[in-house]
Amino acid sequence: MNFENIIVSSENGIGQITINRPSKLNALNVATIRELHDAFQSLDENNETRVIIIIGEGEKAFVAGADISEFANYSIEEGAQLSQQGQELLFDFVENLKTPVIAAINGFALGGGLELAMSCHFRVASDNAKMGLPEVSLGVIPGYGGTQRLPQLVGKGRAMELIMTAGMIDAETAKNYGLVNHVVLQAELLEFTKSIATKIMRNSPAAIGKAIKAINDNYKDGVDGYKTEIKNFGKCFGTEDFKEGTTAFIEKRKAIFQGK
């Protein structure tokens, strides 16, 4: 696939998506959201891809927000449609992928950028990263899942404060809040994230996909995550990965998983 706003590569089972709009601090516009959807879908459907890392081009920003110029004159109906389509096409889509997605936050992750990072399965930040949801300073609220995912990650009170003040927090504060898992030097960010990806790749892709589904269902209204866990636990027994994993354990050797 040829993209205008992103760069996609794959090596040794790790797919990498780089948002490539450095002159706009990698801001998300509608075209970029569509390209990201296509890239994530393609990598997720490729059985050779075991982990996906998303990062922003340059050293200043992961994604500094949405491209405000695109929707400054939208009507009420157009605004609601923008939010719904974006959530369905990218943010909810990423959260529910069977392939693990790690956000490598290099620099600013604001507004839609932080919402994109929060839709990933977990996050690693560079030491110069700054995160926030400044939407209310523009007279709007977070529209790509920010009001839902931020409280899940940092708690209701902290989410209320961050959203209502439109403030930014640094990487260490984000780590203390549970918003990011690790903070590393910017020069080490990508390699560190890849090292985590390598650890993930030692395990069963089939089991990981089912674990992602079970964890996510805990946060969905009207869905019993425990029932999903029971169902997916049972499904694992019918996979080749389960047979390989248990056989390798008994034979005291390293398992070679195929994701089947």
Side-chain angles (χ1 to χ4, degrees), residues 19 21-27 55-65 104-110 126-131 168 186 189:
I19 301 169
R21 303 184 75 213
S23 64
K24 299 285 188 179
L25 293 179
N26 302 322
I55 193 169
E57 179 62 34
E59 298 182 350
K60 292 183 178 180
F62 173 73
V63 173
I105 303 174
N106 55 318
F108 291 107
L110 305 175
S126 60
D127 57 348
N128 68 326
K130 303 284 187 183
M131 286 157 261
M168 287 190 295
Q186 187 173 54
L189 177 63

Side-chain angles (χ1 to χ4, degrees), residues 28 63-68 71 82-83 87 91 109-116 118 131-148 150 159-168:
L28 294 178
V63 173
D67 197 332
I68 298 167
F71 58 80
L82 178 73
S83 175
Q87 290 194 35
F91 301 86
L110 305 175
L114 181 56
E115 289 173 304
L116 176 58
M118 289 192 294
M131 286 157 261
L133 295 175
E135 285 87 346
V136 296
S137 69
L138 301 172
V140 69
I141 70 170
Y144 288 143
T147 64
Q148 307 304 299
L150 187 61
M160 286 282 194
E161 181 180 354
L162 282 169
I163 291 171
M164 288 191 285
T165 62
M168 287 190 295

Side-chain angles (χ1 to χ4, degrees), residues 22-223:
S23 64
K24 299 285 188 179
L25 293 179
N26 302 322
L28 294 178
N29 58 4
V30 171
T32 303
I33 287 174
R34 287 173 178 156
E35 288 189 2
L36 285 168
H37 168 86
D38 291 343
F40 275 114
Q41 184 175 50
S42 178
L43 289 171
D44 187 56
E45 291 175 350
N46 185 343
N47 291 332
E48 294 182 1
T49 303
R50 297 292 184 88
V51 181
I52 301 170
I53 296 172
I54 183 166
I55 193 169
E57 179 62 34
E59 298 182 350
K60 292 183 178 180
F62 173 73
V63 173
D67 197 332
I68 298 167
S69 62
E70 276 198 338
F71 58 80
N73 297 313
Y74 272 19
S75 67
I76 292 172
E77 292 76 14
E78 288 170 326
Q81 186 178 44
L82 178 73
S83 175
Q84 181 176 351
Q85 289 181 345
Q87 290 194 35
E88 292 175 353
L89 198 62
L90 181 60
F91 301 86
D92 291 350
F93 183 76
V94 170
E95 182 177 67
N96 291 297
L97 289 181
K98 68 180 187 299
T99 305
V101 182
I102 309 172
I105 303 174
N106 55 318
F108 291 107
L110 305 175
L114 181 56
E115 289 173 304
L116 176 58
M118 289 192 294
S119 74
C120 299
H121 297 124
F122 61 92
R123 290 144 293 284
V124 180
S126 60
D127 57 348
N128 68 326
K130 303 284 187 183
M131 286 157 261
L133 295 175
E135 285 87 346
V136 296
S137 69
L138 301 172
V140 69
I141 70 170
Y144 288 143
T147 64
Q148 307 304 299
R149 293 190 179 96
L150 187 61
Q152 291 173 5
L153 290 165
V154 307
K156 182 179 177 181
R158 282 173 171 161
M160 286 282 194
E161 181 180 354
L162 282 169
I163 291 171
M164 288 191 285
T165 62
M168 287 190 295
I169 56 174
D170 61 22
E172 283 297 332
T173 302
K175 181 182 176 183
N176 291 337
Y177 282 7
L179 184 54
V180 303
N181 290 26
H182 306 276
V183 176
V184 298
L185 295 173
Q186 187 173 54
E188 301 172 359
L189 177 63
L190 191 54
E191 287 307 311
F192 180 85
T193 306
K194 287 181 178 179
S195 73
I196 299 176
T198 300
K199 293 178 182 178
I200 292 172
M201 289 164 57
R202 297 171 186 163
N203 304 309
S204 162
I208 287 171
K210 290 175 175 58
I212 290 170
K213 169 67 173 170
I215 293 167
N216 282 343
D217 277 3
N218 180 58
Y219 296 95
K220 294 180 179 178
D221 290 338
V223 179

